[in-house]
Amino acid sequence: MNFLRGVMGGQQTSGAQQSGTQTIQKLCDRVASATLLDDRRDAVRALKSLSKKYRFDVATQAMDHLINVLQTDRSDSEIIGYALDTLYNIMSNDADETAESEDENQQIAPDDLGVQFSETFINQQENITLLLSLLEEFDFHVRWPGVKLLTTLLKHQGPQVQQTVLVSPMGVSRLMDLLDDSREVIRNDGLLLLQQLTKSNAAIQKIVAFENAYERLLDIITEEGSSDGGIVVEDCLLLLQNLLKYNNSNQNFFKEGSYIQRMKPWFEVGDDNSGWSAQKVTNLHLMLQLVRVLVSPVNPPGATNSCQKSMFQCGLLQQLCIILMATGVPADILTETINTVSEVIRGSQVNQDYFASVNAPSNPPRPAIVVLLMSMVNERQPFVLRCAVLYCFQCFLYKNEKGQGEIVATLLPSTIDANALSAGQLLCGGLFSTDSLSNWCAAVALAHALLDNATQKEQLLRVQLATSIGNPPVSLLQQCTNILSQGSKVQTRVGLLMLLCTWLTNCPIAVTHFLHNAANVPFLTAQISENLGEEEHLVQGLCALLLGICIYYNDNSLENNTKDKLKQLIEKRIGKENFTEKLGFITKHEFYSKAAQKPQPTFSSPDHMLFDHEFTKLVKELEVVITKAIYKSSEEDKKEEEVKKSLEQHDSIVSHYKSIIREQDIKMEEFKQTIASLQSTNEQNQSTISLQLGQIQQHKDQYNLLKVQLGKDSQHHGSQNSTTQMNGFQPEDVSRLKGEVEELKRQQDILQGELSEKNVLIESLQQSQVDGQTDQMTEEIQKELETLRSQLHVQSAEINRLQAERMELLQKTETSGSLSASGDSSVNSQSNTEMEQKVAELLKEIAGLKEHLKNQSEEKSSWKQQLDTAQSTAAILQDENQKLKQEVTESKKEQDDLLVLLADQDQKIFSLKKRLKELGEPVEDEDDMESGDAGDEDDIDDDDEDDVRDEED
C-alpha cells in the first residue's frame, strides 16, 4: 500500500487533507487493534463515510484491514455490510469524488483509480472466493453491497474475475440464485452482475444457460409486462443477448427448449399504436434484435433454418408481418422489424412463400413487397428505412428461384397489368429516376432477381421499354447502356455496371446481345484506357470487369467480337498490364471490404452506398478467371474448351449412371419388399396347410368310425327296396361321386406332371452357379409353388365338400337301415369299399405332393444355408489374412527395433575399445579376432581329418 500511495499520491497536501489522512490512519489502527467488536464496527462505519471524499487515502491505507474484517468478522452482518460498502465506494467510479477531482495535485483520473484498486483487490484470488461465499448470506446489508462490489470488479477486471468465478466450486450457481431473490433490488442488481459476468465468455454462458436461465429470465419478462415493462425487461433482454449471441450451443438449447414459442406474445401490439414510451421502444428494439440473433446469417445454416422453421410454425413470423403492415409504428421500430423479417425469411422457402402472400391493409390490397419497394424508391423516405427495404428484398430472393421468376415476370410484356402497380414497374421506375440512390437500389434489387438464375437472365432480355412517344421501344439491356454512355452520377453508373456484370455472368446469350450493339465495346475500352481522377477508378474497374466477362463467357457467335479479337483489342488499345491494374481497382476500394463482411447493407451515408455483398463475392470469383483468360493464347482457349466439353460429357455420363443406379436401388427396395411379403404369405400358407392336414386326419378318423358303425348295422337288418336304394345311396349320387373322383384323379395327374417339371427345373438350378439369375429363377419357382399351393387348397376344399356329402349320405344310411335287406348290404358294402379305396388313394397322392413340396422347401433352405456358410467362411479367411498381415508387420517392427539395438551396441563397443586404446590397454581388433578364429577353425579341421583316417584304418 505504501508503494501505491507513493505512486498515486501528489505533492504536499493542505491542512484539511492532512487532517483527513491522519483520521483515516487512526481509524485503520483501531480496526486492526481494537478487541471489542463494537469499536471495530464504529471504525469501519467511519471509514465508509470518508471513502467517497478521501477515496485514495482510504484505498491505500484501509483495503487490507477491510479484507481482514471480511475474513474474521463474518458472524456480524453489520460490520461486513460496512466493509463491503467501503470497498465498493473506493472501486466504483460512480461515487462522488468532488473533493479529489478538484485537487490540483491529483494526477490519475478516477476511472484509472477504480481499475488499479480493483486490480489490487483481485491479485489474491481468495478475495473473489471470499466475496462469492458472502453472497450466500441472505441478509440484505451483506448481499446487496456484495453484488454491487462484484459487478464493479467485473467492469474493471472482467476476464480475471470471470476466470476466478469459473474455477470456483458452485461459483456460477451462487450468482444464479440472485434471480430467485424475493427482494427486487437484489434481483435487478443480480441481472446487471450476470450481464457483466457473461460478456465474451462462452464457457460461463453455457453454464448460466444450463442453470435454467432462459426459464427464469422469460418469467421475469412476463411478470414485468413484456414490451410494456420497465428497465428490468431491458436488463433481461440484454442478458439473453449475451447468452445467445455467437453461441451455437446456447442457441440450439434455446430452440430445443421451445423458448421461441414464448417470444410470440412480445410482439402482440394493439391497434392503437400512438404514444409509444421511450422504454417500450427500447424493449421492443431489443426483442427484435434477440430474434435476429437466432436467425443471423453468420450462424450455421442448419441452426438458422431450424429456428426459421420454428418461428413460422409458432406464428412469430406472422406476428412480425402484422407489425410491418401496421400504422403508427415508430420509424426505428419499423426499420428493425423489416430487418428482422428479412433474416427470418432469408433462405427459407416456406417463409419466403408466406411473405410473398402477405398483403397490406389498403384498398385495393397490395402485396407487402410492392408497398416496401414503393418506400425504397421514394427519396423522401429515411435512408436507414430504404436500406432495410433493400435488405428485405434481397433476403426474399436469396436462394428463391420461384420468387425471382415472379419478379421478372412482372416485367414481361405478356404479364404486365396496366391497372396494377407491380414490383417490376417500381424497379424500372427507380432504375431510371433522377435520384442516384434510387438508381443504385433498383439496380442491386434487379441484380438479385438474376443471381445464379440463367433462366431469368434470358427472360429479362425480352423486356422492352417505351422511352418516348413516337420512338420504337428499346430493350432493358440497351437502355442501361444508353444511361451509362450519358455520363450520369458515379453511384448510378456503379449500380448499372453491377447489374450488367451480374446479368452477363454465365449467360452467353446475354453477352451476345450486349456485344451486338456496336457502341458498347468502344465505350468500355475508352473508359478503361482514359487516365481519370481517383473518383472514377471504381467505374474504370467495373468497366474492365464487364469487358472481361464478355471475353470469358463469349461463345464466338459474333465474328467481329470473338474472344481472340477482343483480346487483341485490349492488347492494342489498353494493354494487358493496364487492364489488370484497372481490374484491381475494385477490390482495392475502401468500401469493398466493408460490404464483403456481412449481407446487410449498412452505410453511414448515401454517398458510401457503392458495393453490394453478393457482388463482392462475384468479383472475387471472376477476377482470377478473367485475368487468366486475358493472358491465354487461342490454342489454350481451344484446349480449355475441349476439356470443358469432355468434362460436360463425363458429367452427363456420370449423371446417366447415377440415374441408373438410383433406379436399380428403387427396384432393389421393391424386390426386398416383395420377398418379405412372399415370405409372410409362405408362412401363412404353411400354417393353413398344417391346419388342413389336421382337418383331413380328423375327417378320416370320423369316416373310419362311421364305416365300422355301418358294418355293424348291416349285419342286423335285412334287405328291402333293393331296386330303388343301395344302403341309403341314390344311383345318381353314386355316379356323380364317381365322376368327381375321376375329375380329382385327372387333376392329380396334371399336378404330378407340373411337379415333375419343377423337379427338373430345380435340378438345373442346382447345377448352375449362384449368380444374379438365381434370384430370378427362385422367384419363378416361388410363384409356381404358390400356384401349386393354391391348387392343393382348391383340391382340399373339394375333398372337404365330398366328405360333407359323405357324412350326409351316411346319416341317410342310418335312418333307412331298418328298411335295408341283407342282400342289398353286400352290394352297398362293395360300392362303399371301392369308393373308400379311391378316396384313400387320392388322399395318399395329396400327402405325397405335400411331402414333395416340403422336401423342395427344405432343399431351398439348405442352398441358402450353404451360401451363408460360404460367405461366413470367406469373412473368417479374410479376418485371418488380416491378422497374419498384422503379425508380419509387428514382426518386421520388432526386427527393426533389434537392428537398432544391435547398432547401438556395436557403437558402444567401438567407443569402449577406442577409450581402452587411449588408456594404453591392449585391445584385440576385429581383424585379429577374425584371423584367430580362422586359425582355430583350421586346427579343428585338421583334427577332424585325423579322426577320419583313424576310422578308415
Side-chain angles (χ1 to χ4, degrees), residues 706 709-710 713-714 717-718 720-721 725-730 806-821:
L706 289 173
Q709 292 178 355
L710 183 63
D713 292 338
S714 62
H717 297 282
Q720 292 181 0
N721 300 328
Q725 285 188 346
M726 292 187 300
N727 199 18
F729 288 96
Q730 297 295 335
R806 179 66 177 172
M807 292 294 296
E808 291 178 0
L809 291 174
L810 289 174
Q811 290 175 1
K812 290 179 181 180
T813 302
E814 291 176 357
T815 55
S816 60
S818 59
L819 300 176
S820 300

Side-chain angles (χ1 to χ4, degrees), residues 844-895:
K844 185 176 180 181
E845 289 175 356
I846 292 172
L849 286 174
K850 291 180 178 179
E851 185 68 21
H852 194 72
L853 184 63
K854 183 178 180 182
N855 294 335
Q856 215 170 19
S857 300
E858 290 176 353
E859 287 177 359
K860 181 181 175 183
S861 301
S862 64
W863 297 341
K864 290 184 178 179
Q865 187 175 5
Q866 290 175 5
L867 180 60
D868 294 338
T869 305
Q871 291 178 349
S872 62
T873 305
I876 293 169
L877 291 174
Q878 188 174 1
D879 293 338
E880 290 178 355
N881 186 17
Q882 190 68 25
K883 291 179 181 178
L884 288 173
K885 288 182 180 179
Q886 187 174 0
E887 290 175 0
V888 169
T889 304
E890 292 176 355
S891 62
K892 286 182 179 180
K893 186 176 180 181
E894 291 176 357
Q895 288 177 1

Side-chain angles (χ1 to χ4, degrees), residues 7 60 152 297 330 351 357 395 437 463 489 515 567 576 584 680 726 771 906:
V7 173
T60 54
T152 302
N351 294 4
S357 66
C395 292
L437 183 59
V463 177
K489 294 182 181 179
L515 295 177
K567 288 181 185 178
K576 293 182 178 179
S680 62
M726 292 187 300
D771 53 5
D906 291 338

Side-chain angles (χ1 to χ4, degrees), residues 555-572:
D555 58 359
N556 296 326
S557 58
L558 297 177
E559 295 182 359
N560 296 329
N561 291 307
T562 61
K563 285 185 178 181
D564 293 337
K565 289 184 179 180
L566 290 176
K567 288 181 185 178
Q568 294 173 5
L569 181 65
I570 289 174
E571 191 170 1
K572 291 179 181 179

Side-chain angles (χ1 to χ4, degrees), residues 495-512:
L496 291 172
L497 286 169
M498 287 195 298
L499 172 60
L500 291 174
C501 290
T502 306
W503 194 347
L504 270 59
T505 298
N506 202 18
C507 186
I509 298 176
V511 172
T512 303

